[in-house]
Structures are given as structure tokens and as C-alpha cells.
Amino acid sequence: MIGIGLVIYPGAQQAAVLGLTDLFGVANRIVVSHQKERVPALRITHWRQDDSNRPPNCVFDSCPDEPPEALSTLILPPSLSEPIGVDDAASLTAWLRNRHAHGIALGSVCAGAFVLAATGLMAGRRMTTHWSHAELLQERFPEVSVDADQLIIDDGDVITAGGLMAWTDLGLKLVDRFLGPTVMFETARILLVDPPGREQRYYSVFSPRLTHGDAAVLKVQHWLQATQAKDVALATLAAQAGLEERTFLRRFQKATGMTTTEYAQRLRVGKARELLQFGNASVERVAWEVGYSDPGAFRKVFTRIVGLSPSEYRRRFSAGQGAVK
């Protein structure tokens, strides 16, 4: 049997722990139905940390009558609470580092990424978390490469998933790894969930930095928001800020982390997503409404930022009926 452990740290979402247990249970039943010996392929254990000064201990075992076996993977589920602080997880992260050093793969979902990053094992490596946590994760762990566009990043000995419900994607990814694609697709079919392959940027919204402290740049940000970034000429923006053009460009990028062009594109695409989701105007009309005279250029920018074409986005997320495709 392949051992998968779910770590119940302070604030961990119980629904995800139980959901993953059930997902792996479904995969087990599929495997058993194709075997003569009725032995589950996956052994699921829960590890709870009752004392912040001590490592977790096993509080649940799906196969309690079987001899103990080594774990293959430990998963840090999401949390509905604020991401756990480094100082609050010292003994837990030490335990995780030790387990990893003995060949156990580690996984995290959503805010579980903060515990994983606190181990120090992600320095110089890519990981994902919920898009709303991405900036905080990057601030706390600048040595980590945070890629919140991705819903799941499988890096072999470490696998991270972004959204709060992305435990389904991580669970299916592990079923695929350990039991093969046939069992994974059958598990997804029974649970009526999409197989892995989605991207988090399909769902994320643009959240501009507004707490950087540069009043001149903030004034331009508010003006761009109010005007829906219709006029992004450098001379206009610099005049709004009351700065020389080169000084404005340097300060804008430092404050927002983006060029003015990138910033305006994200504002425009954010408005376009809203129009595509809740309206029925043609893609060409939407392009015009958000400031693009060339629909082809709009489609390229939209697809690069969202990961779907405007038409694909509408088909997937339209809130109404009869939308123009």
C-alpha cells in the first residue's frame, strides 16, 4: 500500500481533510473492483498537531489492522483562517523537513503553502497558493518563486495547489501518479470534478497594490480605475502624477510591480471578463468597450493574461443564456 498522510495543523480546513480522504477512498474502490485480492492501494492517515511544541501524531488510519508502513506523501490542507506564522509552526516545519529528508514528498493546498514555505525547502523553487495570498507569501518568503497563475505545480518531491478547493486537483494528481491515468479519470468521473489541467488565472481577479505609500502613483491608479484605462499615453499619466515622464515610469513600476502598459492591460481585461460573463455583446464589441480598436490584439492580450480566449471564457463562465459566442 502507498501511504498518504494529511496534516491537521492549527486552522486546517477539516472539509478538505475529509474530502481528500473520501477522494482517495473512491480511488481505492476503483482499484479493488479490478483486482482479485481486495486490498486497498492507498493507505490514508491523519496527523494532528495537538501541541505546538511537539510534532504531529497519527490520529486516523484507514487500514488500522495492517502493519505500519512508510509514508510516500504528506499533504498540508488549506485553511479558512489567516495563514499560519513562521513562529507558530517551528516544530511542525522541523518535522516536515525531517520527513522530506527521508524521501517523503510534500504537498500543500492554498494557505498550506505558508507552512510548506516555512520549512525552507522551497528556497529558489516555484510554488503556488491562492491568488489572494500570493503577495503575502512572496513578502514573507522572498526566496520563493510564487506563481499564482498556476492552479497546481508538480515539482516531483513537492506539489502545491492554489485555490481553496484545489485539494481535488492535488488529490487527482496523486491518484494519477500512484495509480495511473485510468483510475484518476474514473475517480474524477465518479466525483463529477474536472481532471487536473485548469489554471488558477481563469478565476483570479486583478488586485492592484494600493498600499505602497507613493501618493503620486496612487493618484494615477485611481484615475486609471475611474476612466477604465482608456487613455494610457505616457504624457497623460505623467501629467496626472505631476512628475517628469522617466521619474513617473520608474516610480510606477517600483510601486505597482508592473509597467503602465501591463497595469492598463490587466484593468481592461478585468472589465472585459465582467462584460463577457454578464453580457451578451460580441467579442468585437467587448474589445471596443474596453479600449481596443483591434479585436485581434484584444484576443491576444486576453488569452495571455487569462489563459483562455474571450470566447472560451464566455462559454465556461457566462452567467446568462443566449450569449453571443
Side-chain angles (χ1 to χ4, degrees):
M1 287 185 289
I2 299 163
I4 300 178
L6 307 175
V7 184
I8 308 174
Y9 60 90
Q13 187 190 25
Q14 292 292 331
V17 174
L18 298 177
L20 279 165
T21 303
D22 287 343
L23 184 151
F24 294 134
V26 170
N28 267 335
R29 288 196 293 275
I30 292 169
V31 172
V32 167
S33 69
H34 291 87
Q35 292 179 338
K36 293 181 179 179
E37 296 183 9
R38 305 188 69 80
V39 179
L42 303 176
R43 182 177 193 163
I44 313 306
T45 51
H46 297 176
W47 298 78
R48 188 173 64 213
Q49 187 180 33
D50 295 318
D51 184 340
S52 60
N53 295 316
R54 304 187 65 180
N57 58 85
C58 184
V59 295
F60 169 81
D61 188 338
S62 64
C63 301
D65 297 328
E66 297 294 328
E69 293 187 37
L71 287 166
S72 294
T73 306
L74 282 167
I75 300 172
L76 295 156
S79 172
L80 293 176
S81 305
E82 286 296 310
I84 193 169
V86 175
D87 294 337
D88 300 322
S91 63
L92 175 57
T93 54
W95 180 73
L96 290 169
R97 280 195 303 272
N98 180 270
R99 298 297 84 205
H100 182 264
H102 285 80
I104 296 176
L106 302 179
S108 69
V109 183
C110 192
F114 286 78
V115 182
L116 179 55
T119 64
L121 296 170
M122 298 307 298
R125 300 180 69 172
R126 280 199 318 145
M127 69 185 309
T128 189
T129 186
H130 192 283
W131 58 266
S132 65
H133 291 324
E135 188 171 344
L136 179 60
L137 182 65
Q138 191 68 82
E139 288 176 0
R140 286 193 188 177
F141 305 99
E143 71 281 3
V144 174
S145 176
V146 180
D147 185 357
D149 282 345
Q150 303 303 315
L151 191 66
I152 192 162
I153 296 177
D154 186 351
D155 207 18
D157 61 324
V158 176
I159 180 169
T160 57
L164 192 64
M165 292 297 293
W167 56 263
T168 59
D169 299 83
L170 185 143
L172 290 172
K173 197 79 171 177
L174 291 176
V175 170
D176 186 22
R177 175 184 293 187
F178 295 132
L179 305 179
T182 301
V183 175
M184 184 273 286
F185 280 112
E186 182 68 8
T187 302
R189 187 185 67 81
I190 291 174
L191 295 176
L192 295 179
V193 296
D194 289 337
R198 298 177 294 154
E199 294 187 41
Q200 190 168 191
R201 57 181 171 165
Y202 299 171
Y203 311 94
S204 63
V205 295
F206 177 44
S207 299
R209 294 182 191 172
L210 300 174
T211 57
H212 44 71
D214 190 324
V217 171
L218 183 61
K219 180 183 177 182
V220 173
Q221 289 178 272
H222 287 321
W223 183 80
L224 285 169
Q225 192 76 49
T227 61
Q228 298 180 9
K230 292 292 181 66
D231 183 357
V232 294
L234 177 56
T236 303
L237 299 180
Q240 286 289 328
L243 297 171
E244 188 271 333
E245 291 182 4
R246 290 180 62 184
T247 301
F248 167 70
L249 284 176
R250 175 177 52 79
R251 284 173 56 173
F252 188 92
Q253 184 154 11
K254 180 181 179 182
T256 66
M258 299 180 182
T259 66
T260 55
T261 299
E262 292 168 335
Y263 192 94
Q265 287 175 342
R266 289 187 177 272
L267 283 178
R268 290 176 173 184
V269 166
K271 180 62 177 178
R273 291 168 76 148
E274 181 182 325
L275 294 174
L276 290 165
Q277 187 172 358
F278 297 106
N280 59 5
S282 67
V283 171
E284 289 75 15
R285 180 64 185 176
V286 170
W288 178 263
E289 288 287 337
V290 300
Y292 287 91
S293 58
D294 180 359
F298 165 70
R299 286 187 173 91
K300 287 180 180 178
V301 171
F302 189 97
T303 303
R304 176 174 56 79
I305 291 175
V306 179
L308 297 169
S309 71
S311 296
E312 289 169 335
Y313 184 85
R314 168 169 276 163
R315 280 193 291 272
R316 183 178 288 236
F317 295 110
S318 175
Q321 299 296 322
V324 177
K325 300 298 193 288

